[in-house]
Amino acid sequence: MPAVQTPTLRDVADAAGVHPATASRALNPATRGLVNAETARRVMKVAEGLGYRPNPMARGLKTAKSGTVGLVIPDLTNPLFPPIVRGIEDVLEPAGYSGLIVNTDNDPQREHAQIELLRSRQVEGLIVATALLDHPLMAKLQREGVPMVMVNRRPDGVDIPSITPDDAAGIEMAVDHLADLGHRRIGHLSGPATTSTGVARRRAFRNAVRDRDLDVDPALVVTCEHWTEEAGAIALRHLLDVRPDVTAIVAGNDLIALGCYDVFAERGIDCPREMSVVGFNDMPFLDKLAPPLTTLAIPHQQIGAEAARMLLDAIAEPDRAARSVLLPLSLVVRGSTAPPVT
Amino acid sequence: MPAVQTPTLRDVADAAGVHPATASRALNPATRGLVNAETARRVMKVAEGLGYRPNPMARGLKTAKSGTVGLVIPDLTNPLFPPIVRGIEDVLEPAGYSGLIVNTDNDPQREHAQIELLRSRQVEGLIVATALLDHPLMAKLQREGVPMVMVNRRPDGVDIPSITPDDAAGIEMAVDHLADLGHRRIGHLSGPATTSTGVARRRAFRNAVRDRDLDVDPALVVTCEHWTEEAGAIALRHLLDVRPDVTAIVAGNDLIALGCYDVFAERGIDCPREMSVVGFNDMPFLDKLAPPLTTLAIPHQQIGAEAARMLLDAIAEPDRAARSVLLPLSLVVRGSTAPPVT
DNA sequence: CTGAAAGCGCTAACAG
DNA sequence: CTGTTAGCGCTTTCAG
């Protein structure tokens, strides 16, 4: 017969000799001022003694607030996301919120279902990392007034707060670095054209090579189907077929760069002697690769933290103007870039 | 004036011309049988049309079930966990459950607070990956009847279902592999003595070297303070100081093995020519290291999935006997192991 | 098979 | 400052 029913607010009130409403006021920091300081103290002590824990479902039912937000990511298994999620949680927790994570696997159907699930769980807002450039669902959610923040990517033409890397600046740094090393024929394996990061980096690359009088042959730019190792490998094989004289690669992200490593191994290309590569994101453990990958670092945890803060703001003040932030990047030079063999 | 209040069960009932109770029965698969098939169909159609979504808070308030479980992990940023979490979510979701993740950073205080948080959120059970050998909190939770499953590690002397790798078998495979290559002086950098995996692997290592007539000098076994790269590096430096003639290392896990790589770099040791290393866990991207790490692979997602299944069972039938499963491992031979230079 | 009534635990007016 | 009252949306007896 153990399992002493967890005490309810009534129990606390009874034990403290007050009405449940008073106990409620005393226990809630926001309304504690309405209560005699002495009574409040007593109630709190009793609550503590009984091991009282408010039931958020009951509270939520009354207040229509769940204390949860949804985190919509493609796949937790992609090393880019854990640090972001961690940053988010670190901000949500002290604010009394929890995050519910869902994985969409980049499948729009699944995304739709997962977001439905989150909404049915009464999440108060959404942090979305799966945005596509053209994303009707996001637009619809926004119209319905769901507080939202986009992370890493953002849809076109909707006024949703977002926190994204400064893709153009990053690509310029990468191209500058390679040009400084002496590279003239630089290729770009861009991310899917359906994502903002994909097109922004691609456009930035085109501009950068043009401005620096490097080889602007369109064949040097190949678009990957996905942000994956496999897609990166396929793209590089294709590029090498049409432009075997390329000496350096700017990869759309680190996973695509890893795909390049696979092709190097398979074709016996010596990186960085025969071919340089730059990644994007600075995922964990890149410094342990052979060779360690030169890449653009973004402050993952800070992104997450900032996104969570923005979302909490949006929840608190639903109709404040959407603020969007562009993250500064830094180039981390490691072993995968070197002067070309001329 | 948009934001049409999300429809409630009452709305559905009204629209279908039935009592809310009937609508409730019709919508819940478990009670649908109690309702005229025709009525049920009608109610469901109306619900669908209205875009009705049951409010889990209201339901939970009534049924004392939240449809959530807590996932207690040290740090999501540790690459071991995302695949496990993914495996868990993949089982929870179709069952109508969601997971709430908390990070403890291996801090008992924080763990306690986080578990309180989860309990106050009315989680129906816990999947715990932070178990220590001596873990009063776990024992207490078990006494209180909280459904729980341990993952990866397990406390001593409490009868809690767990799903852990077959540490002994794994270490034997590692030692066999090294012995077959010709190594006689094998070191072990074990995990903390406070964790089941730490002591089990350490004990297994001792037995393995004894049984194979290899060097059994206790100085060849060094215990790391933490399961981290840094701790691994420190331990290896210490080992090299006392036994510079060691030719191979069995690391307590992959992160500790990565610490070894750092020391190799710092002391100019050529791995695998001068020193072999075996890791444990087969984290992602180990195959891209220089050299690719030989390690023991565990089926991460499956662990997670199995743990979730066990927890759902425990929630459904609270007093069924605790079942524990030992996971088979496989040795993945890559480039970090080779015959010793004799 | 369906309706009526009650209540899960909490908060929010509204009185006092 | 505190008690009363009502009700969030749903499920679950209990009658009919």
Side-chain angles (χ1 to χ4, degrees):
Chain A
M1 314 291 86
V4 195
Q5 190 56 37
T6 169
T8 97
L9 185 59
R10 251 203 79 121
D11 300 329
V12 176
D14 288 353
V18 296
H19 192 270
T22 309
S24 169
R25 290 189 273 255
L27 260 14
N28 186 326
T31 50
R32 190 169 300 149
L34 306 175
V35 165
N36 181 308
E38 181 46 44
T39 334
R41 199 186 329 283
R42 183 157 41 89
V43 172
M44 293 168 70
K45 242 186 51 192
V46 172
E48 168 93 48
L50 259 48
Y52 170 73
R53 279 188 312 248
N55 182 332
M57 310 183 84
R59 173 182 304 178
L61 188 54
K62 183 69 191 175
T63 59
K65 288 181 167 315
S66 62
T68 58
V69 305
L71 314 183
V72 184
I73 61 177
D75 179 11
L76 188 57
T77 275
N78 178 332
L80 176 61
F81 295 109
I84 295 181
V85 170
R86 190 63 215 267
I88 293 173
E89 300 275 7
D90 288 347
V91 168
L92 290 183
E93 191 207 313
Y97 278 79
S98 302
L100 286 172
I101 302 175
V102 297
N103 301 278
T104 67
D105 291 328
N106 285 313
D107 171 352
Q109 298 256 153
R110 198 169 143 84
E111 175 181 61
H112 190 219
Q114 297 283 41
I115 288 183
E116 273 304 292
L117 187 104
L118 289 173
R119 296 193 70 191
S120 78
R121 283 210 176 264
Q122 315 289 118
V123 295
E124 294 180 40
L126 253 27
I127 295 180
V128 179
T130 56
L132 299 179
L133 266 187
D134 176 30
H135 212 150
L137 178 54
M138 296 298 121
K140 168 164 163 280
L141 291 171
Q142 200 212 9
R143 260 181 274 116
E144 295 181 6
V146 178
M148 263 191 300
V149 174
M150 302 289 153
V151 147
N152 196 36
R153 311 202 302 223
R154 49 169 301 124
D156 246 3
V158 274
D159 191 31
I160 300 176
S162 67
I163 168 150
T164 48
D166 189 343
D167 291 311
I171 292 295
E172 281 179 30
M173 292 168 79
V175 172
D176 274 338
H177 170 60
L178 293 170
D180 287 352
L181 287 172
H183 293 275
R184 303 285 105 185
R185 298 179 304 280
I186 307 177
H188 177 46
L189 307 182
S190 85
T194 49
T195 60
S196 63
T197 37
V199 309
R201 290 174 196 171
R202 185 186 169 117
R203 187 179 329 117
F205 178 82
R206 288 224 153 104
N207 292 339
V209 290
R210 174 172 35 69
D211 294 350
R212 285 161 187 75
D213 287 324
L214 305 174
D215 191 332
V216 297
D217 179 2
L220 283 169
V221 178
V222 180
T223 300
C224 303
E225 291 289 321
H226 306 282
W227 294 104
T228 60
E229 228 178 301
E230 298 73 40
I234 291 167
L236 178 56
R237 281 189 209 110
H238 178 73
L239 174 57
L240 290 176
D241 288 348
V242 292
R243 286 295 305 257
D245 58 334
V246 61
T247 65
I249 305 287
V250 174
N253 77 354
D254 292 333
L255 290 174
I256 290 175
L258 285 183
C260 295
Y261 278 40
D262 292 340
V263 175
F264 296 159
E266 137 197 335
R267 304 212 174 171
I269 297 171
D270 180 354
C271 169
R273 222 181 52 81
E274 299 173 272
M275 181 90 69
S276 292
V277 192
V278 181
F280 208 117
N281 280 347
D282 198 21
M283 296 179 349
F285 302 110
L286 253 27
D287 56 326
K288 295 283 184 308
L289 301 187
L293 183 66
T294 294
T295 189
L296 289 151
I298 60 181
H300 312 275
Q301 296 222 184
Q302 283 176 48
I303 292 190
E306 183 60 22
R309 264 181 239 113
M310 285 171 66
L311 183 62
L312 293 177
D313 285 355
I315 289 171
E317 293 184 58
D319 28 40
R320 205 191 354 197
R323 169 173 55 109
S324 283
V325 342
L326 221 51
L327 286 169
L329 301 165
S330 53
L331 182 74
V332 183
V333 178
R334 299 205 182 95
S336 66
T337 46
V341 284
T342 22
Chain B
M1 313 288 83
V4 195
Q5 190 57 38
T6 166
T8 99
L9 185 59
R10 253 201 76 120
D11 300 328
V12 176
D14 288 354
V18 296
H19 188 97
T22 308
S24 169
R25 289 189 273 253
L27 260 15
N28 186 326
T31 51
R32 192 168 300 149
L34 306 175
V35 165
N36 181 309
E38 182 44 45
T39 333
R41 198 185 330 281
R42 181 158 42 89
V43 171
M44 292 168 71
K45 243 187 50 195
V46 171
E48 169 93 50
L50 259 49
Y52 169 74
R53 280 188 311 249
N55 181 332
M57 312 184 83
R59 182 198 309 238
L61 189 53
K62 186 68 190 175
T63 59
K65 290 184 167 310
S66 61
T68 59
V69 304
L71 313 185
V72 183
I73 61 178
D75 179 11
L76 188 58
T77 275
N78 178 332
L80 176 60
F81 295 110
I84 295 179
V85 170
R86 191 63 217 267
I88 293 174
E89 301 276 7
D90 287 348
V91 168
L92 290 183
E93 193 207 313
Y97 278 79
S98 300
L100 287 171
I101 301 176
V102 297
N103 301 278
T104 66
D105 291 327
N106 284 314
D107 171 353
Q109 298 254 152
R110 198 169 142 83
E111 173 181 63
H112 190 225
Q114 297 282 42
I115 287 182
E116 273 305 293
L117 188 106
L118 288 173
R119 297 193 69 190
S120 79
R121 282 210 176 264
Q122 316 289 117
V123 296
E124 293 180 40
L126 254 26
I127 295 180
V128 179
T130 57
L132 300 178
L133 266 187
D134 176 28
H135 212 150
L137 178 54
M138 295 299 121
K140 170 165 161 281
L141 290 171
Q142 199 212 8
R143 261 181 273 115
E144 295 180 8
V146 179
M148 265 191 298
V149 173
M150 302 288 153
V151 146
N152 197 34
R153 309 200 305 220
R154 47 169 303 125
D156 246 3
V158 275
D159 191 29
I160 300 176
S162 68
I163 169 152
T164 49
D166 189 343
D167 291 310
I171 293 294
E172 280 178 33
M173 291 167 81
V175 172
D176 274 338
H177 170 59
L178 292 170
D180 287 351
L181 287 171
H183 293 275
R184 305 283 103 188
R185 296 178 304 281
I186 306 176
H188 177 46
L189 306 181
S190 85
T194 49
T195 58
S196 62
T197 36
V199 310
R201 290 173 197 173
R202 184 185 170 118
R203 189 181 326 118
F205 178 81
R206 289 224 153 104
N207 293 339
V209 290
R210 175 170 37 68
D211 295 349
R212 285 159 188 75
D213 286 323
L214 306 173
D215 192 332
V216 296
D217 179 3
L220 283 170
V221 178
V222 180
T223 301
C224 303
E225 291 287 321
H226 306 282
W227 294 104
T228 61
E229 226 178 303
E230 298 73 41
I234 292 168
L236 178 56
R237 284 188 208 106
H238 178 73
L239 174 58
L240 289 176
D241 289 347
V242 293
R243 288 293 307 258
D245 60 335
V246 62
T247 63
I249 305 286
V250 174
N253 77 354
D254 291 332
L255 290 173
I256 291 175
L258 285 182
C260 295
Y261 277 40
D262 293 340
V263 176
F264 296 159
E266 140 198 333
R267 304 211 173 171
I269 297 171
D270 179 355
C271 171
R273 224 183 50 82
E274 300 173 272
M275 182 90 69
S276 292
V277 192
V278 181
F280 207 117
N281 279 347
D282 197 22
M283 297 179 348
F285 301 111
L286 254 25
D287 56 326
K288 296 281 184 308
L289 302 186
L293 182 65
T294 295
T295 189
L296 289 151
I298 60 182
H300 312 277
Q301 297 223 181
Q302 283 176 46
I303 291 188
E306 182 61 22
R309 263 180 240 115
M310 284 170 68
L311 183 61
L312 292 177
D313 284 355
I315 289 171
E317 292 183 55
D319 27 42
R320 207 193 350 198
R323 171 172 56 111
S324 285
V325 344
L326 223 49
L327 287 168
L329 302 164
S330 53
L331 183 74
V332 182
V333 178
R334 299 204 182 94
S336 68
T337 46
V341 283
T342 25

